[in-house]
């Protein structure tokens, strides 16, 4: 059976008061039994608060990035061990904002994926093309290249405990969602790529879609064969919007 994951990337948003309200609202709204898993990715300073509120609940949490080295002179960075100190289960790697704004290359992303796995964190590998790349017909080449960098480093076995998030850059924070057909086509391409190496890992791999997911489009997207949930930005910052996504498929 498919395990749908609805994951909220809060990016650099929040205050202590907002985190409290949001998490208390999510806890209250997820009391009913559901096969849908929820996860949140708060900014680092709110991880302690997140841990203390969500500990023992069905909602998981994770870090938005990590530095691949364990410690040292890396001002402003956090390591896998530090995320584990706050009981993170997941960590995002290769989010398009990290690639575009902070210059993370495919190799940097592979370093982070490898470090996450080695520590016991479950990496959520984000991949996706820009609008220009899509219009040039390069979507599969770009997504394939981003996946290959990690596959070459960690092998197919590295994806036994990982998640892939397909996030077309043109759909992130823009209100322009990929159609279910467009998203499914890329998800099928991703799964096929893994199938050629290991059909069991490929079959179990969770592939999330990200890019302006909301309560109105989630059901159609997540109904597609290879879409196993969503990585949600803007709509994860309001209790009712985030729960609407969960409830659309729960
Ligand atoms: C994201 O931040 O990964 C994202 C998909 O954002 P949004 O849902 O706002 O497009």
């Amino acid at each position: 059976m498919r395990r749908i994951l609805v994951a909220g990337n809060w990016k650099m948003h929040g205050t202590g008061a907002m985190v409290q309200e949001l998490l208390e609202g999510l806890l209250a709204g997820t009391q009913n039994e559901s096969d849908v898993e929820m996860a949140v990715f708060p900014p680092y300073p709110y991880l302690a608060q997140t841990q203390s509120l969500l500990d023992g609940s069905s909602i998981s949490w994770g870090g938005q990035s990590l530095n691949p080295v364990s410690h040292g002179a890396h001002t402003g960075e956090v390591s896998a061990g530090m995320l584990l100190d706050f009981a993170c289960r997941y960590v995002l790697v290769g989010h398009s904002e990290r690639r575009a704004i902070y210059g993370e290359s495919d190799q940097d992303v592979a370093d982070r994926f490898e470090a996450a796995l080695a520590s016991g964190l479950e990496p959520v590998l984000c991949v996706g093309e820009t609008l220009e790349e899509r219009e040039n017909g390069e979507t599969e080449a770009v997504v394939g290249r981003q996946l290959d960098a990690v596959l070459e480093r960690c092998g197919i076995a590295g994806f036994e405990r990982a998640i892939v998030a397909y996030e077309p850059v043109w759909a992130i924070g823009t209100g322009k969602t990929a159609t279910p057909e467009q998203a499914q086509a890329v998800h099928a391409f991703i799964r096929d790529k893994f199938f050629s190496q290991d059909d069991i890992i490929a079959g179990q791999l969770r592939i999330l879609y990200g890019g302006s997911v909301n309560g109105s489009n989630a059901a159609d997207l997540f109904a597609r064969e290879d879409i196993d949930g969503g990585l949600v930005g803007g709509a994860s910052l309001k209790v009712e919007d985030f729960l609407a996504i969960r409830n659309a498929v729960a």
Side-chain angles (χ1 to χ4, degrees):
M1 198 188 67
R2 291 204 310 162
R3 288 170 308 139
I4 296 282
L5 172 62
V6 175
N9 171 17
W10 297 355
K11 312 191 188 201
M12 199 172 73
H13 291 294
T15 62
M18 190 204 98
V19 171
Q20 192 79 18
E21 193 185 318
L22 188 46
L23 293 180
E24 282 175 355
L26 290 183
L27 285 170
T30 52
Q31 292 302 314
N32 57 330
E33 275 292 303
S34 166
D35 292 330
V36 179
E37 182 191 343
M38 303 278 282
V40 292
F41 292 82
Y44 304 129
Y46 303 121
L47 281 173
Q49 191 182 1
T50 299
Q51 179 186 12
S52 83
L53 282 163
L54 296 187
D55 199 24
S57 79
S58 62
I59 306 173
S60 312
W61 61 95
Q64 294 181 11
S65 181
L66 81 166
N67 190 284
V69 304
S70 63
H71 62 277
H74 293 275
T75 303
E77 294 291 282
V78 303
S79 67
M82 293 169 187
L83 296 177
L84 286 167
D85 267 346
F86 296 97
C88 287
R89 172 172 175 185
Y90 299 113
V91 62
L92 302 181
V93 296
H95 190 280
S96 67
E97 289 152 18
R98 301 292 318 171
R99 293 178 190 261
I101 306 172
Y102 299 101
E104 287 182 14
S105 66
D106 290 340
Q107 294 313 312
D108 294 331
V109 173
D111 290 344
R112 284 159 172 72
F113 187 100
E114 189 177 31
L117 273 189
S119 73
L121 287 164
E122 296 178 43
V124 179
L125 171 64
C126 304
V127 297
E129 80 290 358
T130 62
L131 184 59
E132 190 184 356
E133 289 163 341
R134 171 162 284 262
E135 285 175 350
N136 289 339
E138 294 167 356
T139 299
E140 292 189 359
V142 170
V143 170
R145 190 201 71 223
Q146 292 170 336
L147 293 173
D148 280 340
V150 176
L151 275 166
E152 280 160 21
R153 182 74 63 82
C154 301
I156 182 73
F159 286 84
E160 214 169 339
R161 279 185 43 260
I163 291 172
V164 173
Y166 168 57
E167 298 207 300
V169 179
W170 48 272
I172 298 179
T174 59
K176 280 189 211 147
T177 318
T179 64
E181 293 73 25
Q182 284 173 321
Q184 166 59 26
V186 182
H187 281 233
F189 164 76
I190 294 170
R191 202 179 303 281
D192 279 354
K193 191 168 172 63
F194 288 99
F195 248 107
S196 59
Q197 298 199 30
D198 187 309
D199 56 349
I200 295 175
I201 292 177
Q204 290 172 349
L205 180 70
R206 287 194 285 182
I207 310 175
L208 311 183
Y209 166 77
S212 301
V213 174
N214 58 41
S216 310
N217 57 31
D220 266 0
L221 284 160
F222 303 170
R224 301 293 155 140
E225 188 181 349
D226 293 300
I227 304 182
D228 306 306
L231 182 55
V232 183
S236 71
L237 292 167
K238 284 206 182 124
V239 177
E240 58 276 22
D241 293 350
F242 200 31
L243 286 176
I245 296 172
R246 171 194 188 259
N247 295 336
V249 287

